[in-house]
Coordinates of all heavy atoms in Angstrom, one line a residue:
Chain A
T43 N -22.6 310.4 -195.7 CA -24.0 310.3 -195.5 C -24.2 309.0 -194.7 O -23.4 308.1 -194.6 CB -24.8 310.1 -196.8 OG1 -24.3 309.0 -197.5 CG2 -24.6 311.3 -197.7
I44 N -25.4 308.9 -194.1 CA -25.8 307.6 -193.5 C -26.8 307.0 -194.5 O -27.9 307.6 -194.8 CB -26.5 307.8 -192.2 CG1 -25.5 308.4 -191.2 CG2 -27.0 306.4 -191.6 CD1 -26.0 308.6 -189.8
H45 N -26.5 305.9 -195.1 CA -27.3 305.3 -196.2 C -27.9 304.0 -195.6 O -27.2 303.1 -195.2 CB -26.4 305.0 -197.4 CG -27.1 304.6 -198.6 ND1 -27.1 305.3 -199.8 CD2 -28.0 303.6 -198.8 CE1 -27.8 304.8 -200.7 NE2 -28.4 303.7 -200.1
G46 N -29.2 303.9 -195.6 CA -29.8 302.7 -195.1 C -30.1 301.7 -196.2 O -30.4 302.1 -197.3
I47 N -29.9 300.5 -195.8 CA -30.4 299.4 -196.7 C -31.4 298.6 -196.0 O -31.1 298.0 -194.9 CB -29.2 298.5 -197.2 CG1 -28.2 299.4 -198.0 CG2 -29.7 297.4 -198.1 CD1 -27.1 298.6 -198.6
I48 N -32.6 298.6 -196.5 CA -33.7 297.9 -195.8 C -34.2 296.8 -196.6 O -34.2 296.9 -197.9 CB -34.7 298.9 -195.4 CG1 -35.7 298.4 -194.3 CG2 -35.5 299.5 -196.6 CD1 -36.5 299.4 -193.6
G49 N -34.7 295.8 -196.0 CA -35.3 294.7 -196.7 C -35.6 293.5 -195.7 O -35.0 293.5 -194.6
E50 N -36.5 292.6 -196.1 CA -36.8 291.5 -195.2 C -35.6 290.6 -195.1 O -34.7 290.6 -195.9 CB -38.0 290.8 -195.8 CG -39.3 291.6 -195.8 CD -40.5 290.7 -195.9 OE1 -40.8 290.3 -197.0 OE2 -41.1 290.5 -194.8
N51 N -35.7 289.7 -194.1 CA -34.7 288.7 -194.1 C -34.7 287.9 -195.4 O -35.8 287.5 -195.9 CB -35.0 287.7 -192.9 CG -34.7 288.4 -191.6 OD1 -33.8 289.2 -191.5 ND2 -35.4 288.0 -190.6
G52 N -33.5 287.6 -195.9 CA -33.5 286.9 -197.2 C -33.6 287.7 -198.4 O -33.6 287.2 -199.5
A53 N -33.6 289.0 -198.2 CA -33.8 289.9 -199.4 C -32.4 290.1 -200.1 O -32.4 290.6 -201.2 CB -34.3 291.3 -199.0
G54 N -31.3 289.7 -199.4 CA -30.0 289.7 -200.1 C -29.2 290.9 -199.6 O -28.1 291.1 -200.1
K55 N -29.6 291.5 -198.5 CA -28.8 292.6 -197.9 C -27.4 292.1 -197.5 O -26.4 292.7 -197.8 CB -29.5 293.2 -196.7 CG -30.8 293.8 -196.9 CD -31.5 294.1 -195.6 CE -31.8 292.8 -194.8 NZ -32.7 292.9 -193.7
S56 N -27.4 291.0 -196.7 CA -26.2 290.5 -196.1 C -25.3 290.0 -197.2 O -24.0 290.2 -197.1 CB -26.5 289.4 -195.1 OG -27.2 289.9 -194.1
T57 N -25.8 289.4 -198.2 CA -25.0 288.9 -199.3 C -24.3 290.1 -200.0 O -23.1 290.0 -200.3 CB -25.9 288.2 -200.4 OG1 -26.6 287.1 -199.7 CG2 -25.0 287.5 -201.4
L58 N -25.0 291.1 -200.2 CA -24.5 292.3 -200.9 C -23.3 292.9 -200.1 O -22.2 293.2 -200.6 CB -25.6 293.3 -201.1 CG -25.2 294.5 -202.0 CD1 -24.9 294.1 -203.4 CD2 -26.3 295.6 -202.0
M59 N -23.5 292.9 -198.7 CA -22.5 293.5 -197.9 C -21.3 292.6 -197.8 O -20.2 293.0 -197.7 CB -23.1 293.8 -196.5 CG -24.1 294.9 -196.5 SD -23.4 296.4 -197.2 CE -24.5 296.6 -198.6
S60 N -21.6 291.2 -197.9 CA -20.5 290.3 -197.8 C -19.6 290.4 -199.1 O -18.4 290.2 -199.0 CB -21.0 288.9 -197.7 OG -21.7 288.8 -196.5
I61 N -20.3 290.7 -200.2 CA -19.5 290.9 -201.4 C -18.6 292.2 -201.3 O -17.4 292.2 -201.6 CB -20.5 291.1 -202.6 CG1 -21.1 289.7 -203.0 CG2 -19.7 291.6 -203.9 CD1 -22.2 289.8 -204.0
L62 N -19.2 293.2 -200.7 CA -18.5 294.4 -200.5 C -17.3 294.2 -199.6 O -16.3 294.9 -199.7 CB -19.4 295.5 -200.0 CG -19.0 296.9 -200.0 CD1 -18.4 297.4 -201.3 CD2 -20.1 297.8 -199.6
Y63 N -17.5 293.3 -198.6 CA -16.5 293.1 -197.6 C -15.5 292.0 -198.0 O -14.7 291.6 -197.2 CB -17.1 292.9 -196.2 CG -16.1 293.1 -195.1 CD1 -15.6 294.4 -194.9 CD2 -15.8 292.1 -194.2 CE1 -14.7 294.6 -193.8 CE2 -14.9 292.3 -193.2 CZ -14.3 293.5 -193.0 OH -13.5 293.8 -192.0
G64 N -15.7 291.4 -199.2 CA -14.7 290.4 -199.6 C -15.0 289.0 -199.2 O -14.1 288.2 -199.3
Y65 N -16.1 288.8 -198.6 CA -16.4 287.4 -198.1 C -16.9 286.5 -199.3 O -16.6 285.4 -199.3 CB -17.5 287.4 -197.0 CG -17.0 287.6 -195.6 CD1 -15.7 288.0 -195.4 CD2 -17.8 287.3 -194.5 CE1 -15.2 288.2 -194.2 CE2 -17.3 287.5 -193.2 CZ -16.0 287.9 -193.1 OH -15.5 288.1 -191.8
Y66 N -17.6 287.1 -200.2 CA -18.1 286.4 -201.4 C -17.5 287.2 -202.6 O -17.3 288.4 -202.5 CB -19.6 286.4 -201.5 CG -20.3 285.6 -200.4 CD1 -21.4 286.2 -199.8 CD2 -19.8 284.4 -200.0 CE1 -22.1 285.5 -198.8 CE2 -20.5 283.7 -199.0 CZ -21.6 284.3 -198.4 OH -22.3 283.6 -197.4
K67 N -17.4 286.5 -203.7 CA -17.0 287.1 -204.9 C -18.3 287.2 -205.8 O -19.0 286.2 -205.9 CB -16.0 286.2 -205.6 CG -15.3 287.0 -206.7 CD -14.1 286.0 -207.3 CE -13.6 286.6 -208.5 NZ -14.6 286.7 -209.6
A68 N -18.6 288.3 -206.3 CA -19.8 288.5 -207.2 C -19.6 287.7 -208.5 O -18.5 287.6 -209.0 CB -20.0 290.0 -207.4
D69 N -20.7 287.1 -209.0 CA -20.6 286.4 -210.2 C -20.4 287.4 -211.4 O -19.8 287.2 -212.4 CB -21.9 285.6 -210.5 CG -22.1 284.6 -209.4 OD1 -21.1 284.2 -208.8 OD2 -23.3 284.2 -209.2
K70 N -21.1 288.6 -211.2 CA -21.0 289.7 -212.2 C -21.0 291.0 -211.5 O -21.5 291.1 -210.4 CB -22.3 289.5 -213.1 CG -22.1 288.8 -214.4 CD -23.1 289.2 -215.5 CE -24.5 288.9 -215.0 NZ -25.3 288.0 -215.7
G71 N -20.6 292.0 -212.2 CA -20.8 293.4 -211.6 C -19.4 294.0 -211.3 O -18.4 293.3 -211.3
E72 N -19.5 295.3 -211.0 CA -18.3 296.1 -210.8 C -18.4 296.8 -209.5 O -19.5 297.2 -209.1 CB -18.1 297.1 -211.9 CG -17.6 296.4 -213.2 CD -17.9 297.2 -214.4 OE1 -18.7 298.2 -214.3 OE2 -17.5 296.8 -215.5
I73 N -17.3 297.0 -208.8 CA -17.2 297.8 -207.6 C -16.3 299.0 -207.8 O -15.2 298.9 -208.3 CB -16.7 296.9 -206.4 CG1 -17.5 295.7 -206.2 CG2 -16.6 297.8 -205.2 CD1 -17.0 294.7 -205.2
F74 N -16.9 300.2 -207.5 CA -16.1 301.4 -207.6 C -16.0 302.0 -206.2 O -17.0 302.1 -205.5 CB -16.7 302.4 -208.5 CG -16.8 302.0 -209.9 CD1 -17.9 301.3 -210.3 CD2 -15.9 302.4 -210.8 CE1 -18.0 300.9 -211.7 CE2 -15.9 302.0 -212.1 CZ -17.0 301.2 -212.6
I75 N -14.7 302.3 -205.8 CA -14.6 303.0 -204.5 C -14.0 304.4 -204.8 O -12.9 304.4 -205.5 CB -13.7 302.2 -203.6 CG1 -14.5 300.9 -203.2 CG2 -13.3 303.0 -202.3 CD1 -13.8 300.0 -202.3
K76 N -14.6 305.4 -204.4 CA -14.2 306.8 -204.7 C -14.0 307.0 -206.2 O -13.1 307.6 -206.6 CB -13.0 307.2 -203.9 CG -13.2 307.3 -202.4 CD -11.9 307.8 -201.7 CE -12.0 307.7 -200.3 NZ -10.6 307.6 -199.7
G77 N -14.8 306.3 -206.9 CA -14.7 306.5 -208.4 C -13.8 305.6 -209.1 O -13.7 305.5 -210.3
N78 N -13.0 304.8 -208.3 CA -12.0 303.9 -209.0 C -12.5 302.5 -208.9 O -12.9 302.0 -207.9 CB -10.6 304.0 -208.3 CG -10.1 305.4 -208.2 OD1 -10.2 306.2 -209.2 ND2 -9.7 305.8 -207.0
Q79 N -12.4 301.9 -210.1 CA -12.9 300.5 -210.1 C -11.9 299.6 -209.3 O -10.7 299.7 -209.5 CB -13.0 300.0 -211.5 CG -13.6 298.6 -211.6 CD -14.0 298.1 -212.9 OE1 -13.9 298.9 -213.9 NE2 -14.5 296.9 -213.0
T80 N -12.4 298.7 -208.5 CA -11.5 297.8 -207.7 C -12.1 296.5 -207.6 O -13.3 296.3 -208.0 CB -11.4 298.3 -206.2 OG1 -12.6 299.0 -205.9 CG2 -10.2 299.2 -206.0
T81 N -11.3 295.5 -207.2 CA -11.9 294.2 -206.9 C -11.6 294.0 -205.4 O -10.6 294.5 -204.9 CB -11.2 293.1 -207.7 OG1 -9.8 293.2 -207.5 CG2 -11.5 293.2 -209.2
I82 N -12.5 293.3 -204.7 CA -12.3 293.0 -203.3 C -12.3 291.5 -203.2 O -13.3 290.9 -202.9 CB -13.4 293.7 -202.5 CG1 -13.4 295.2 -202.8 CG2 -13.1 293.4 -201.0 CD1 -14.3 296.0 -202.0
P83 N -11.1 290.9 -203.3 CA -11.1 289.4 -203.2 C -11.2 288.9 -201.8 O -11.6 287.7 -201.6 CB -9.7 289.0 -203.8 CG -8.9 290.3 -203.6 CD -9.8 291.4 -203.6
N84 N -10.9 289.7 -200.8 CA -10.9 289.2 -199.4 C -11.1 290.4 -198.5 O -11.1 291.5 -198.9 CB -9.7 288.4 -199.1 CG -8.4 289.1 -199.4 OD1 -8.3 290.3 -199.2 ND2 -7.4 288.4 -200.0
S85 N -11.3 290.1 -197.2 CA -11.5 291.2 -196.3 C -10.3 292.1 -196.0 O -10.5 293.2 -195.7 CB -12.1 290.6 -194.9 OG -11.2 289.6 -194.4
E86 N -9.1 291.5 -196.2 CA -7.9 292.4 -196.1 C -8.0 293.5 -197.2 O -7.7 294.7 -196.9 CB -6.7 291.6 -196.3 CG -6.2 290.7 -195.2 CD -6.9 289.4 -195.1 OE1 -7.7 289.1 -196.1 OE2 -6.8 288.6 -194.2
A87 N -8.4 293.1 -198.4 CA -8.6 294.1 -199.4 C -9.6 295.1 -199.1 O -9.5 296.3 -199.3 CB -8.9 293.4 -200.7
A88 N -10.7 294.7 -198.5 CA -11.8 295.6 -198.1 C -11.3 296.6 -197.0 O -11.5 297.8 -197.1 CB -13.0 294.8 -197.5
I89 N -10.5 296.1 -196.1 CA -10.0 297.0 -195.0 C -9.0 298.0 -195.7 O -9.0 299.1 -195.4 CB -9.3 296.1 -193.9 CG1 -10.3 295.3 -193.2 CG2 -8.5 297.0 -193.0 CD1 -9.7 294.2 -192.3
A90 N -8.2 297.5 -196.6 CA -7.2 298.3 -197.3 C -7.9 299.4 -198.1 O -7.4 300.5 -198.2 CB -6.3 297.5 -198.2
A91 N -9.1 299.1 -198.6 CA -9.9 300.1 -199.3 C -10.7 301.0 -198.4 O -11.5 301.8 -198.9 CB -10.9 299.3 -200.3
G92 N -10.5 300.8 -197.1 CA -11.2 301.7 -196.2 C -12.6 301.3 -195.8 O -13.4 302.2 -195.4
I93 N -12.9 300.1 -195.9 CA -14.2 299.6 -195.6 C -14.1 298.8 -194.2 O -13.3 298.0 -194.1 CB -14.8 298.7 -196.6 CG1 -14.9 299.5 -198.0 CG2 -16.1 298.1 -196.2 CD1 -15.3 298.6 -199.1
G94 N -15.0 299.2 -193.3 CA -15.0 298.5 -192.0 C -16.4 297.9 -191.8 O -17.4 298.5 -192.3
M95 N -16.4 296.8 -191.1 CA -17.7 296.2 -190.9 C -18.0 295.8 -189.5 O -17.1 295.3 -188.8 CB -17.7 294.9 -191.8 CG -19.0 294.1 -191.7 SD -19.7 293.9 -193.4 CE -21.1 292.8 -193.1
V96 N -19.2 296.1 -189.0 CA -19.6 295.8 -187.7 C -20.6 294.7 -187.8 O -21.7 295.0 -188.3 CB -20.1 297.0 -186.9 CG1 -20.6 296.5 -185.5 CG2 -19.0 298.0 -186.7
F97 N -20.3 293.5 -187.5 CA -21.2 292.4 -187.7 C -22.3 292.4 -186.6 O -22.1 292.9 -185.5 CB -20.5 291.0 -187.7 CG -19.6 290.9 -188.9 CD1 -18.3 291.2 -188.8 CD2 -20.1 290.3 -190.0 CE1 -17.4 291.1 -189.9 CE2 -19.3 290.2 -191.1 CZ -18.0 290.6 -191.1
Q98 N -23.4 291.7 -187.0 CA -24.5 291.5 -186.0 C -24.0 290.8 -184.8 O -24.3 291.2 -183.7 CB -25.6 290.8 -186.7 CG -26.9 290.8 -186.0 CD -28.0 290.1 -186.9 OE1 -27.7 289.7 -188.0 NE2 -29.2 290.0 -186.4
H99 N -23.3 289.7 -185.0 CA -22.7 289.0 -183.9 C -21.2 289.4 -183.8 O -20.5 289.1 -184.8 CB -22.9 287.5 -184.1 CG -24.3 287.1 -184.3 ND1 -25.2 287.1 -183.2 CD2 -25.0 286.8 -185.4 CE1 -26.4 286.8 -183.7 NE2 -26.3 286.6 -185.0

Side-chain angles (χ1 to χ4, degrees):
Chain A
T43 63
I44 300 182
H45 190 121
I47 296 185
I48 196 164
E50 294 198 282
N51 288 328
K55 300 169 295 195
S56 298
T57 306
L58 190 64
M59 291 308 116
S60 299
I61 288 170
L62 191 51
Y63 199 62
Y65 274 14
Y66 297 136
K67 194 176 168 301
D69 300 336
K70 260 202 304 243
E72 290 156 351
I73 301 174
F74 296 87
I75 290 178
K76 291 186 194 152
N78 305 316
Q79 185 168 358
T80 30
T81 55
I82 304 181
N84 50 40
S85 50
E86 283 83 7
I89 292 167
I93 298 171
M95 181 124 175
V96 176
F97 291 93
Q98 194 173 359
H99 303 287

